[in-house]
Amino acid sequence: AQKITQTQPGMFVQEKEAVTLDCTYDTSDQSYGLFWYKQPSSGEMIFLIYQGSYDEQNATEGRYSLNFQKARKSANLVISASQLGDSAMYFCAMRLAGANNLFFGTGTRLTVIP
Amino acid sequence: GAVVSQHPSRVICKSGTSVKIECRSLDFQATTMFWYRQFPKQSLMLMATSNEGSKATYEQGVEKDKFLINHASLTLSTLTVTSAHPEDSSFYICSAERGFAETQYFGPGTRLLVL
């Protein structure tokens, strides 16, 4: 069975600092995709970044980068130069190859301190 | 980016009534739409997957007669909560993807409160 684990229910970071949000996953499949979504208090889910299991390089999107360690089955999100607007819930998700449904972790609430 | 809308954003209804929530992909045709439910401070739980013109596939434990899903076109899917009860109060959020297993783009969600 597939499982996504986010062990940090809450994180605090000083404005302009970098922060790492942890995500580990469990699957026996070799082909899968990993996603990070941001959910502000308004409720919408905003797609941030994607990493394929066969991608050799870590994905980056602006201030977001994904630290993908396949052997450890971890896909941590790194946010650089944190901004106040980054305060939100962050969800890690996985999708298996051949399927289109997402499995979500329990989320991490990030608070950026001015 | 892809834009997905939901309507209404908030709804309050009396117990026993039915509520319809619409999910639209505004700037792309969605082969598949997904409906999720999120309880306060919890993660998203997939309720069902719908493909245009075919019956929705429901996740285990989700009552298909309770949560009716219609996917009439490539840009519109509706979720109807029939005979709503207070325990149906939740945040319902849809997502859509252009092609199979592409990135899912989410709507802004609908907060349902059943009195």
Side-chain angles (χ1 to χ4, degrees):
Chain A
Q2 292 68 235
K3 189 176 180 181
I4 296 282
T5 303
Q6 294 180 255
T7 57
Q8 307 154 315
M11 288 283 286
F12 291 87
V13 64
Q14 202 74 40
E15 193 179 5
K16 299 180 184 177
E17 297 289 313
V19 63
T20 298
L21 306 184
D22 295 342
C23 173
T24 58
Y25 58 92
D26 189 19
T27 180
S28 56
D29 284 38
Q30 295 301 309
S31 183
Y32 48 87
L34 297 158
F35 301 78
W36 277 92
Y37 285 88
K38 171 184 178 182
Q39 187 179 40
S41 56
S42 57
E44 62 188 305
M45 294 284 282
I46 302 168
F47 166 70
L48 296 179
I49 197 166
Y50 167 80
Q51 178 88 40
S53 59
Y54 290 112
D55 293 342
E56 294 187 353
Q57 295 208 337
N58 287 342
T60 60
E61 288 287 346
R63 293 187 299 111
Y64 304 110
S65 61
L66 202 152
N67 184 359
F68 181 47
Q69 299 190 35
K70 194 170 182 177
R72 295 184 179 182
K73 292 189 175 179
S74 74
N76 299 338
L77 176 70
V78 180
I79 304 175
S80 62
S82 296
Q83 302 171 356
L84 295 179
D86 294 335
S87 293
M89 281 290 288
Y90 289 81
F91 290 96
C92 179
M94 177 173 66
R95 184 185 63 210
L96 301 180
N100 57 358
N101 52 317
L102 291 170
F103 297 95
F104 283 89
T106 51
T108 296
R109 179 167 297 282
L110 176 67
T111 303
V112 180
I113 304 167
Chain B
V3 181
V4 177
S5 71
Q6 265 184 257
H7 179 79
S9 57
R10 291 176 180 271
V11 58
I12 301 173
C13 69
K14 291 183 179 180
S15 186
T17 60
S18 294
V19 174
K20 180 186 284 188
I21 303 169
E22 291 186 350
C23 176
R24 293 181 186 271
S25 55
L26 297 183
D27 55 356
F28 67 100
Q29 292 188 325
T31 57
T32 306
M33 289 185 170
F34 304 83
W35 286 96
Y36 294 84
R37 184 173 180 175
Q38 185 179 30
F39 290 103
K41 299 185 180 181
Q42 293 190 25
S43 188
L44 278 71
M45 298 205 49
L46 180 65
M47 297 174 66
T49 302
S50 77
N51 293 291
E52 184 262 341
S54 61
K55 288 185 178 179
T57 302
Y58 289 82
E59 294 299 301
Q60 193 172 8
V62 177
E63 299 175 60
K64 57 182 68 176
D65 295 331
K66 173 78 170 171
F67 299 100
L68 299 178
I69 292 172
N70 182 274
H71 195 157
S73 76
L74 285 172
T75 59
L76 173 64
S77 177
T78 60
L79 168 68
T80 301
V81 182
T82 62
S83 187
H85 288 283
E87 57 264 30
D88 298 326
S89 299
S90 190
F91 186 64
Y92 294 88
I93 189 165
C94 72
S95 70
E97 60 179 24
R98 281 192 182 90
F100 184 80
E102 292 191 15
T103 298
Q104 287 185 30
Y105 294 93
F106 285 79
T110 297
R111 295 193 186 279
L112 170 63
L113 176 61
V114 184
L115 302 176

